[in-house]
Amino acid sequence: MRLETERLLLRCWTENDAEDLFKYASDPAVGPIAGWAVHTSVENSRQIIRGVLSAPETYAVVLKRTRRPVGSIGLMIGAASNIGIPDTEGEIGFWIGVPYWGQGLIPEAVREVIRHGFEDLGLDRIWCGYFDGNTQSRRVQEKCGFTYQRTVEDVPCAIPGLLRTEHITCMSKQEWSSGR
């Protein structure tokens, strides 16, 4: 599957993307705030592509002008999400490399994945979340129309032994349709 926006291509990750992934995922400003450890090598990034980023509905965020990935976005449907949702709902997760913060690229990608989830996949609701301190992620969710639902404390993340406070947001298909 390939999705497209004005400035972005959203496509499957390939092992050839490992160097670009490492370039951005090795930055300590990116992973830990999103709940995952910094990448330690190009080979580590390659392993993450094979394991985590090869999941269904997971996309490299690729700049059209360079054809290089600068971030990632995914839609975890039903049991693939860790927030306990039915198969008719999904959860969006995303990140982008620091040099691309503040350019509106992730909101652009999120809006396309929302469209895809509701129109192409027929989802009823799409959820999103952010950990305490991740103001960039909170702002993206607000810009894209997600509304606050609840806060959950002591949520495990992909960094072993670390528990975080997560704020959960949501959007229904009806809310999305009426806001277009």
Side-chain angles (χ1 to χ4, degrees):
M1 173 65 71
R2 184 183 204 122
L3 304 172
E4 191 171 335
T5 71
E6 181 182 332
R7 300 179 290 170
L8 303 170
L9 295 172
L10 307 179
R11 59 146 172 89
C12 294
W13 284 94
T14 71
E15 289 188 35
N16 292 337
D17 296 323
E19 286 186 30
D20 289 318
L21 176 58
F22 177 69
K23 179 177 179 180
Y24 302 112
S26 62
D27 188 326
V30 177
I33 195 75
W36 46 270
V38 297
H39 292 203
T40 56
S41 66
V42 172
E43 184 53 36
N44 176 227
S45 291
R46 191 171 284 111
Q47 291 168 352
I48 299 290
I49 289 169
R50 282 188 210 119
V52 177
L53 299 179
S54 64
E57 299 298 333
T58 301
Y59 303 95
V61 175
V62 177
L63 295 176
K64 281 184 175 178
R65 65 179 166 78
T66 65
R67 300 287 195 210
R68 308 296 288 260
V70 296
S72 188
I73 191 165
L75 185 59
M76 296 147 290
I77 299 171
S81 166
N82 65 354
I83 61 173
I85 56 176
D87 290 343
T88 58
E89 299 180 3
E91 176 190 3
I92 291 180
F94 53 80
W95 65 266
I96 195 163
V98 174
Y100 302 96
W101 288 6
Q103 297 179 29
L105 294 168
I106 282 296
E108 188 174 319
V110 168
R111 287 183 188 102
E112 176 58 15
V113 171
I114 290 169
R115 184 212 58 77
H116 172 62
F118 289 138
E119 286 186 357
D120 302 335
L121 302 177
L123 297 177
D124 296 328
R125 290 185 183 285
I126 296 178
W127 299 81
C128 206
Y130 61 92
F131 292 123
D132 260 356
N134 194 341
T135 55
Q136 292 97 336
S137 184
R138 186 193 81 228
R139 287 179 54 224
V140 167
Q141 292 172 48
E142 290 169 352
K143 285 178 188 176
C144 291
F146 286 91
T147 56
Y148 173 81
Q149 299 295 308
R150 66 183 177 272
T151 296
V152 182
E153 301 205 12
D154 298 326
V155 175
C157 62
I159 301 173
L162 183 61
L163 299 177
R164 308 284 297 273
T165 297
E166 185 174 19
H167 307 281
I168 308 291
T169 64
C170 187
M171 176 188 305
S172 70
K173 185 173 188 174
Q174 183 178 10
E175 290 167 332
W176 174 75
S177 293
S178 64
R180 291 177 55 196

